[in-house]
């Protein structure tokens, strides 16, 4: 009966023919940014293999090698390409391991924020009425407090509740929760406003006429239609989350120096800035900026590509 | 062509894109004389709005004029630099846009907008400009102009705002007016007034007007001459009577025959299949087919067979808005004690202007909205009393709905197969997944899309084809009662004719009962057996269709009927041919 | 004319409408403050044991209980909360655990430093950011716009603390032009200490203010640009072009005013967040403001200081939001005049 003469196009062909792909290969910024992002992510993932030294193996770290400048400077040592820090750890290797922590915290907190935000946004947008007003008032209040402040507060609370040693161990989780809880509002607001548009569209009413229960309509019909803007926010917030993590660690309330993130590394190096050992701060700083810049460029590109009305 | 006021010669407009580009206008020749209204008519994508924008040199990027010239009183105005063009825009050529709600700056009073425009073009003092602004408002028929001039746009109704837009276009006494769908966003009663106003302005001031529209009724009402556009080309130009009554070009003929006639009821719309190739509909043997099983519930429920299929009594609906933390709550009585019956097998029409509550009724009957009062009895069971979801779904399955907007009424993220299969799977109407697939393929064949459509996504289809997807989805629950809410008002007339033909065919084959909601009286006349007229939430009259059109009883019905376009389709000779073909 | 009563809109007396609007917003603001107060009180009461934080190791159980009773910690929650709010309204936030001084004194001492820094940064960010946003929207293809957009992308990608470090490294350590920490000399004007009137005070202000302004400025550029582009695409702009109005009039009178409506809200939020971002800047430059006090409180779990800071920030936001709402009311006739 059903003649399947027309093959369903494969995912790859659909991708190749899509406007998104076309816009990607025509924007050099996005290509460079994605190459850089992939490089940093790969370097961080495989830090154990790529890094010339294991900076956290006390057996190999030698205090006599402390504060060596980069290899190309007069006093540099060729085995420490970007120099060493105050404890004799290889700066290049600590950057690789540090990006790992930064990326883990970034991705995890964005995921947490997205899950909370999308759920709240879906419920608020679809149910409307008092529940919606209430949730959005909460979001409004939270939005007037910058993420960094909320993250600091949550971190402070965690410190108050947990004993000192335990806190260092769970510092990464505390950061993820702190950043995640301070970032959900944007998703909630965006998803809610999209849902309010979608909910009045006729395909939703068609689902109601069929007799589908609300949760099926919400998950199967509305959710896929509101994910576009969420993707854009998630990308831009990944950059923001990495910055926030670095900032908190720099302020001394993030991950401890025993397993440093990029922010912690910059904090450690900051103490040596005045005495001329600039490389301990600057190289992790450059790595951080390159990573965040790449992610931001991708986010900008994605926003423009998904919304052709905005040039 | 010396007396031509505005003369467009061999105009080519291109929109380059990565897919090679689109030619929106090819070799277009048009001219308009002083005191004349030239109607430019065509369906969407015909390139009619492009012409107006090209004349004003306001094409949206990346569009550009690829060839040809435009002359204003013999003076070439195409490809003028922007600062030269500004002396023509507003001063010598005025433009009127479609949507009065978005055409005015919301932050400035009407006076400021008028005075700003007047003083841009005329050397007047502030007081003189203000006096002129008030007199312009008076000329376009705004009452109390001296008071109203200081109001903000949001304080005017839609029709009044369009009058303000017209006043703005007239600020500097232009010689030519370009009106791009000036009445499309307005209700029929307002539309008639605005058209009257435009006609008077042309006659009194001797300006030339190009009126761009998709609406044959508007053309018949006001245009002196007509140019018919099709895919970027002008296929035919001539006096209105000739083009509408005895056109030469095949496209024009089929276009005109697709326009629903207000004066007589035809069995089918003739000659429309040639316009957009509609897929072959495959007939099914309904006595054996799954779809034919739709009649299986006929025997059940003894009371249902004798009474009306749907009985609506004293239906009420109130919309509330606002009301949390201080914001003021307001309520609107959208449906006010409406009662009507729909008999098994008939097509019952509901007609009314926007905001009359007709679409709300459809949503109350299908359970999308909850009624504030009254009863909805379907096949003898009062649906408003049913609390059990399962029980309710059993009845809901038997009534389905087709929506207005073909672009939003199907979920763009789902394949056509899943869209149509969803109700079958949900109500467990088939025994197996392979049977479901076969049913979907048959349905697609049956509505003229072809089974191959199943693996595609909705964006690969045109508006008319999407409406067919919508119809297939509605049929997938094997309904007995079909609600059509303005099913064709977002479509071009030729596509509308095809969809209406399809609905008529399906109703006949499957013995469907229909509730057909429309603002368009001619469409109602073609489709319905009986009609209810709605105004401001109340049903003011229910009558047999022919009785309503010949002898309306209620004042509001009379008013509506009187506003119907006088246009009466092809001459009898043409109709004869059309019927025969 | 058919049907429908002729609607002649009435301009509601501005004063009355405005009063109603503002008093409603004021009511909402009080609720917000009470909610934030609840959070602050919750922090104070339940994070760590307040008694433990006030007494030494060798305090006897009886003494502890006496203190608990005298602090009213045995009263019902709502009573304690009421007492907390009552004291907070009078500016009494208790004693800092770390510094053993009244929190209100600590804050009063630090407040001028933070406010001066924030105001200067806010002005810098607005005076540069808004015109740049407008320019990039109006001339999206120009070389300057591309330059501004690249800079703004750099701006949002450079963490504030890194900007501070780079400035210190370059102007402080290498060139030795500007002081790298502190406020310089200040002059006491009553309880207010100002760095505006001395050369060293002004010099000390330059780098922290720039650091704080850059991130906010880039955000403002991007937001203003996005809003302006949105407005430039509307029908009324197209209609204005079709009437032959001059681009100056269209861009700066019609488009700019319409852009202003949403931009006011954004700017309100930004100005608020500048005060919070001051935490970072103050930390980098050892600027003796509230942010530095707060960050020290967080790392030492000095709850009374944290709670007081939270309330103060909330108060600043509420005030800014109120101002924004009133501005909105003035700019947008759709709020002011009923149809």
């Amino acid at each position: 009966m059903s003649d399947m003469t027309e093959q369903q196009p494969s995912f790859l062909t659909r991708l190749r023919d899509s406007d998104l792909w076309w816009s990607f290969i025509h924007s050099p910024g996005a290509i460079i940014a994605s190459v850089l992002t992939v490089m940093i992510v790969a370097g961080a993932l495989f830090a154990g293999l790529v890094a010339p030294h294991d900076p956290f193996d006390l057996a190999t770290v030698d205090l006599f090698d402390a504060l060596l400048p980069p290899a190309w400077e007069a006093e540099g040592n060729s085995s420490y390409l970007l120099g060493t820090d105050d404890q004799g750890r290889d700066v290049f290797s600590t950057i690789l391991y540090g990006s790992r922590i930064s990326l883990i915290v970034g991705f995890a907190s964005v995921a947490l924020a997205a899950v909370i935000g999308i759920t709240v946004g879906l419920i608020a947008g679809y149910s409307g009425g008092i529940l919606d007003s209430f949730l959005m008032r909460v979001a409004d209040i939270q939005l007037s407090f910058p993420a960094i402040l909320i993250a600091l507060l949550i971190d402070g609370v965690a410190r108050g509740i947990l004993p000192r040693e335990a806190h260092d161990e769970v510092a990464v989780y505390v950061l993820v929760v702190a950043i995640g809880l301070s970032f959900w509002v944007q998703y909630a607001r965006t998803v809610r406003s999209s849902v309010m548009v979608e909910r009045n569209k006729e395909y939703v009413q068609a689902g109601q006429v069929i007799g589908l229960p609300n949760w099926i309509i919400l998950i199967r019909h509305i959710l896929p239609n509101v994910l576009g803007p969420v993707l854009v926010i998630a990308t831009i917030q990944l950059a923001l989350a990495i910055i926030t993590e670095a900032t908190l660690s720099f302020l001394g309330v993030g991950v401890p120096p025993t397993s440093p993130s990029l922010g912690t590394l910059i904090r450690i190096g900051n103490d040596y800035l005045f005495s001329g050992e600039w490389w301990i701060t600057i190289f992790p700083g450059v790595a951080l900026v390159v990573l965040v810049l790449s992610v931001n460029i991708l986010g900008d590109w994605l926003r423009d590509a998904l919304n052709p009305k905005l040039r | 062509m010396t007396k031509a006021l505005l003369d467009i010669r061999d105009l080519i407009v291109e929109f380059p894109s990565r897919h090679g580009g689109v030619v929106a206008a090819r070799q277009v020749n048009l001219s308009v004389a002083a005191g004349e209204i030239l109607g430019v008519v065509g369906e969407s994508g015909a390139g009619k709005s492009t012409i107006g924008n090209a004349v004003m040199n306001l094409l949206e990027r990346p569009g550009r004029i690829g060839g040809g010239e435009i002359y204003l009183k013999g003076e070439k105005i195409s490809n003028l630099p922007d600062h030269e063009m500004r002396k023509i825009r507003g001063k010598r050529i005025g433009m009127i846009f479609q949507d009065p709600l978005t055409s005015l700056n919301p932050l400035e009073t009407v006076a400021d907008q008028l005075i700003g425009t007047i003083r841009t073009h005329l050397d007047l003092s502030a007081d003189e400009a203000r006096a002129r602004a008030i007199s312009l408002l008076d000329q376009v028929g705004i009452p109390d102009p001296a008071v109203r001039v200081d109001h903000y746009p949001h304080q005017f109704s839609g029709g009044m705002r369009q009058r303000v837009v017209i006043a703005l276009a007239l600020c500097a006494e232009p010689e030519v007016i370009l009106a791009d769908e000036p009445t499309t966003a307005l209700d029929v009663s307002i539309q008639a007034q605005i058209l009257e106003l435009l006609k008077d302005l042309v006659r009194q001031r001797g300006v030339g007007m190009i009126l761009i529209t998709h609406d044959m009724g508007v053309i018949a009402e006001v245009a002196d001459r007509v140019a018919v556009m099709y895919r970027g080309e002008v296929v035919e130009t001539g006096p209105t009577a000739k083009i509408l009554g005895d056109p030469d070009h095949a496209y024009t003929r089929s276009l005109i025959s697709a326009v629903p006639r207000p004066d007589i009821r035809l069995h089918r719309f003739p000659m429309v299949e040639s316009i957009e190739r509609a897929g072959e509909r495959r007939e099914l043997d309904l006595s054996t087919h799954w779809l034919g099983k739709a009649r299986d519930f006929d025997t059940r429920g003894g009371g249902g067979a004798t009474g009306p299929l749907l009985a609506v009594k004293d239906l009420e609906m109130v919309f509330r808005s606002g009301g949390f933390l201080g914001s003021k709550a307001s309520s609107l009585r959208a449906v006010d004690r409406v009662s009507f019956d729909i008999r098994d097998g008939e097509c019952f029409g509901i007609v009314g202007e926007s905001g009359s509550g007709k679409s709300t009724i459809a949503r109350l009957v299908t359970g999308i909205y909850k009624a504030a009062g009254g009863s909805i009895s379907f096949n003898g069971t009062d649906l408003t009393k049913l609390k059990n979801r399962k029980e309710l779904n059993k009845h809901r399955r038997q009534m389905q709905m087709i929506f207005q907007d073909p672009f939003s009424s199907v979920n763009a993220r789902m394949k056509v197969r899943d869209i149509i299969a969803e109700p079958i799977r949900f109500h467990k109407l088939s025994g197996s997944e392979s049977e479901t697939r076969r049913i979907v393929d048959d349905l697609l064949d049956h509505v003229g899309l072809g089974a191959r459509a199943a693996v595609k996504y909705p964006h690969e289809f045109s508006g008319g084809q999407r409406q067919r997807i919508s119809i297939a989805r509605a049929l997938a629950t094997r309904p007995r009662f079909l609600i059509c809410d303005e099913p064709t008002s977002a479509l071009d007339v030729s596509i509308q004719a095809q969809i209406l033909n399809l609905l008529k065919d399906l109703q006949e084959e499957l013995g469907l009962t229909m509730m057909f909601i429309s603002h368009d009286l001619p469409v109602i006349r073609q489709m319905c057996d009986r009609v209810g007229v709605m105004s401001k939430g109340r049903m003011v009259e229910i009558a047999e269709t022919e009785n309503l059109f010949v002898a309306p009883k209620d004042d509001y019905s009379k008013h509506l009927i009187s506003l119907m376009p006088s246009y009466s389709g092809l001459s009898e000779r043409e109709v004869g041919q059309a019927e025969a073909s | 004319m058919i049907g429908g009563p002729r609607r002649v809109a009435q301009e509601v007396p501005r004063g009355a409408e405005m009063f109603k609007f503002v008093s409603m917003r004021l009511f909402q603001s009080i609720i917000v403050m009470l909610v934030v107060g609840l959070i602050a009180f919750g922090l104070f009461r339940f994070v760590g044991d307040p008694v433990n934080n006030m007494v030494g190791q060798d305090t006897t159980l009886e003494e502890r209980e006496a203190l608990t009773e005298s602090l009213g910690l045995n009263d019902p929650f709502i009573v304690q909360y009421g007492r907390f709010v009552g004291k907070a309204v009078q500016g009494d936030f208790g004693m800092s655990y770390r510094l053993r001084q009244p929190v209100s004194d600590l804050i009063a001492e630090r407040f001028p430093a933070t406010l001066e820094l924030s105001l200067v940064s806010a002005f810098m960010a607005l005076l540069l950011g808004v015109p740049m946003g407008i320019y990039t929207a109006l001339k999206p293809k120009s070389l300057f716009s591309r330059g501004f957009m690249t800079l703004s992308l750099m701006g949002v990608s450079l963490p504030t603390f890194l900007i501070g470090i780079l400035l210190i490294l370059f102007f402080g350590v290498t060139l030795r032009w500007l002081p790298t920490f502190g406020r310089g000399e200040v002059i006491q004007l009553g309880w207010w200490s100002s760095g505006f009137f001395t050369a060293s005070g002004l010099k000390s202000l330059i780098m922290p203010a720039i650091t704080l302004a850059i991130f906010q400025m880039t955000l403002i550029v991007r937001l203003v640009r996005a809003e302006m582009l949105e407005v430039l695409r509307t029908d009324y702009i197209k209609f204005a072009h079709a009437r032959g109005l001059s681009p100056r009039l269209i861009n700066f009178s019609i488009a700019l005013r319409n852009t202003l409506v949403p931009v006011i809200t954004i700017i309100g939020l930004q100005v608020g967040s500048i005060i919070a971002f001051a935490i970072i800047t103050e930390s980098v430059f050892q600027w003796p403001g509230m942010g530095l006090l707060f960050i020290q409180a967080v790392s030492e779990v000095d709850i009374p200081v944290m709670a007081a800071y939270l309330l103060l920030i909330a108060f600043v936001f509420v005030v800014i939001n109120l101002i924004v709402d009133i501005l909105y009311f003035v700019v947008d006739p759709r709020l002011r005049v009923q149809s």
Side-chain angles (χ1 to χ4, degrees), chain B residues 6 55 70-72 75-80 85 88 93:
Chain B
L6 184 73
V55 169
I70 302 165
Y71 295 90
L72 180 63
E75 200 182 311
K76 187 176 161 192
I77 61 164
S78 49
N79 289 322
L80 279 182
M85 200 59 216
I88 292 172
I93 307 177

Side-chain angles (χ1 to χ4, degrees), chain B residues 475-547:
Chain B
L475 295 180
T477 63
R478 283 185 305 204
R480 168 176 191 196
F481 178 50
L482 196 59
I483 299 172
C484 305
D485 183 14
E486 302 264 11
T488 57
S489 59
L491 304 176
D492 282 327
V493 285
S494 58
I495 311 296
Q496 161 169 295
Q498 292 175 359
I499 296 292
L500 294 180
N501 275 349
L502 174 66
L503 286 172
K504 283 187 169 196
D505 292 346
L506 289 171
Q507 188 192 8
E508 236 165 68
E509 284 170 16
L510 301 170
L512 293 170
T513 308
M514 289 214 289
M515 179 160 114
F516 193 97
I517 295 165
S518 180
H519 70 284
D520 190 333
L521 281 164
V523 168
I524 290 277
R525 186 167 205 173
Q526 300 305 318
M527 295 299 291
C528 305
D529 304 314
R530 289 191 309 139
V531 192
V533 181
M534 295 247 351
S535 169
K536 294 179 186 139
R538 312 203 56 164
M539 195 163 273
V540 295
E541 180 171 2
I542 298 177
E544 299 284 329
T545 306
E546 287 309 306
N547 290 347

Side-chain angles (χ1 to χ4, degrees), chain A residues 1-2 5-6 8 19 22 133 202-203 205-206 208-213 220-221 224-225 311, chain B residues 18 61 324 363 368 389 400 403-405 408 411 413-415 422 426-427 441-442 452 456 473:
Chain A
M1 289 281 269
S2 64
T5 43
E6 196 161 323
Q8 189 179 340
D19 289 345
W22 189 88
S133 302
E202 290 171 344
Y203 72 89
Q205 300 187 347
Q208 291 170 331
V209 173
I210 290 168
L212 302 176
R220 197 190 290 166
H221 291 272
N225 281 290
R311 271 156 304 216
Chain B
R18 74 155 167 127
R61 291 189 316 126
F324 185 73
R363 281 158 178 75
I368 295 172
R389 197 178 176 97
Q400 282 300 309
F403 296 87
Q404 171 174 1
D405 180 5
S408 78
N411 185 350
R413 304 273 161 176
M414 282 166 89
K415 273 191 205 136
E422 187 167 43
F426 180 74
H427 289 289
D441 291 349
D442 283 357
R452 269 176 299 174
K456 294 187 184 169
R473 173 181 57 195

Side-chain angles (χ1 to χ4, degrees), chain B residues 37 97 108 117 152 174 223 226 240 337 369 426 443 547 565:
Chain B
I37 298 181
F97 285 107
E108 268 186 345
T117 311
Y152 291 97
V226 188
T240 305
R337 276 167 292 137
Y369 297 158
F426 180 74
L443 278 169
N547 290 347

Side-chain angles (χ1 to χ4, degrees), chain B residues 102 105 117 121 152 154-155, chain C residues 235 239 241 243 258 336-337:
Chain B
T102 58
N105 178 6
T117 311
H121 297 298
Y152 291 97
H154 71 273
Q155 296 173 279
Chain C
D235 280 359
F239 187 41
H241 280 291
R243 299 202 301 273
N258 276 285
R336 197 169 63 226
V337 188

Side-chain angles (χ1 to χ4, degrees), chain A residues 240-251:
Chain A
L240 262 180
I242 293 172
I243 288 186
T244 307
E245 183 277 328
T247 304
L248 291 173
S249 294
F250 174 79
L251 293 175

